[in-house]
Amino acid sequence: MAQPANSEHQNTVQANTELIKLALLPPQPCMVIHFAATQSDQTLPTNPELPADLFTACMTTPVKAAVRFWLHTHPHSKVTQEMSDQIPGTLKDRSTPLGELCWTLTAITDTIAWCILPRSMFHTLFREDATVASLFRNFILASRIMRHYNTSPQSRPNIPSSHTHPLWESLDYEIDMCLRQLPRLLKEQHKQKQHMDRVKRSEEERRIRANKRKQKAEKCNIEELLENINTLKFSGSYKIPLEIASSFHPWSSRN
């Protein structure tokens, strides 16, 4: 067999050498992310007015958890927990009350992180990956809420305590303003729903009446057609073959 060219052999040897060097490199350090609800000697808060797992609620549904915490710390509010679950809008639409609360919470937790973290760590945790940033923002909220109940959430990398940061007052103010308007918003939403239901019923009734008129007109046309056929069949002034007339009569049989 023919021997490979020297240049091809050298290229193969060089490529294998590079692969061996890469395989022998020490493993690159990776960031380990860990969240814990409490310290080792603490337990989760147990309160019937709070979620059973308050830490998970903060990490997965931060806006709802922040509103529930505000209601629990402001017992004289006229808004109930059931009403707070009906805040109009969606999380992604800032033009709605729920979307505005979500945007405010994101901005405040992001700003608090900027204030308490070194710049390099802030960039790594809050600017390189959107999911990681969301988790750490929610952890900052969880730290604020759970420290109110004498528990200290833990994280790796470590996030300094920020539960006394003055920006939390801005979040409380925004929640307060939203909940003050909530009874009026829910009332307007209920009126709008009633109006839409009336419109829907009216359209349904109009469609039913139109179908009835159509069926009645079709029935009248059929009766008129049958009457004309019978007139033609039995009239002495104009006669048509019986078999042809019978073909138009649905109840006539052909002999």
Side-chain angles (χ1 to χ4, degrees), residues 37-215:
T38 66
Q39 294 180 350
S40 59
D41 57 343
Q42 296 176 337
T43 57
L44 288 171
T46 55
N47 190 310
E49 297 181 5
L50 297 174
D53 189 346
L54 181 58
F55 181 75
T56 301
C58 294
M59 296 295 290
T60 56
T61 55
V63 175
K64 185 176 181 179
V67 173
R68 284 288 184 91
F69 174 70
W70 189 93
L71 289 174
H72 189 244
T73 54
H74 296 77
H76 301 295
S77 174
K78 296 181 180 180
V79 176
T80 64
Q81 290 187 1
E82 291 75 15
M83 294 172 64
S84 69
D85 293 336
Q86 303 176 34
I87 297 177
T90 59
L91 294 174
K92 295 183 179 181
D93 187 359
R94 190 183 171 185
S95 63
T96 63
L98 187 61
E100 179 67 19
L101 278 182
C102 181
W103 183 89
T104 301
L105 177 61
T106 300
I108 288 176
T109 50
D110 214 48
T111 305
I112 292 175
W114 171 263
C115 295
I116 65 177
L117 294 177
R119 295 295 175 264
S120 58
M121 180 180 290
F122 175 83
H123 185 272
T124 300
L125 299 181
F126 289 85
R127 290 298 181 265
E128 291 186 357
D129 187 273
T131 302
V132 172
S134 177
L135 287 173
F136 276 97
R137 281 194 295 266
N138 297 347
F139 176 81
I140 290 175
L141 173 69
S143 179
R144 187 254 178 149
I145 292 177
M146 297 192 67
R147 280 186 179 272
H148 181 80
Y149 303 101
N150 300 318
T151 55
S152 305
Q154 305 295 307
S155 69
R156 181 176 180 182
N158 181 54
I159 302 296
S161 176
S162 61
H163 64 286
T164 58
H165 198 283
L167 278 178
W168 291 121
E169 296 179 3
S170 299
L171 178 62
D172 291 339
Y173 174 78
E174 290 295 332
I175 295 176
D176 183 24
M177 294 300 296
C178 177
L179 295 184
R180 284 178 184 272
Q181 303 175 53
L182 185 58
R184 176 180 58 82
L185 294 174
L186 293 179
K187 187 176 181 180
E188 292 177 355
Q189 190 178 47
H190 181 66
K191 288 183 177 180
Q192 184 178 8
K193 184 177 183 299
Q194 287 182 329
H195 174 70
M196 295 301 296
D197 290 342
R198 286 195 298 268
V199 171
K200 186 176 180 180
R201 287 196 301 268
S202 177
E203 291 178 351
E204 183 68 17
E205 292 173 357
R206 189 181 300 110
R207 184 182 63 82
I208 292 174
R209 288 196 298 268
N211 288 339
K212 287 183 177 180
R213 287 195 298 268
K214 182 178 179 182
Q215 293 173 1

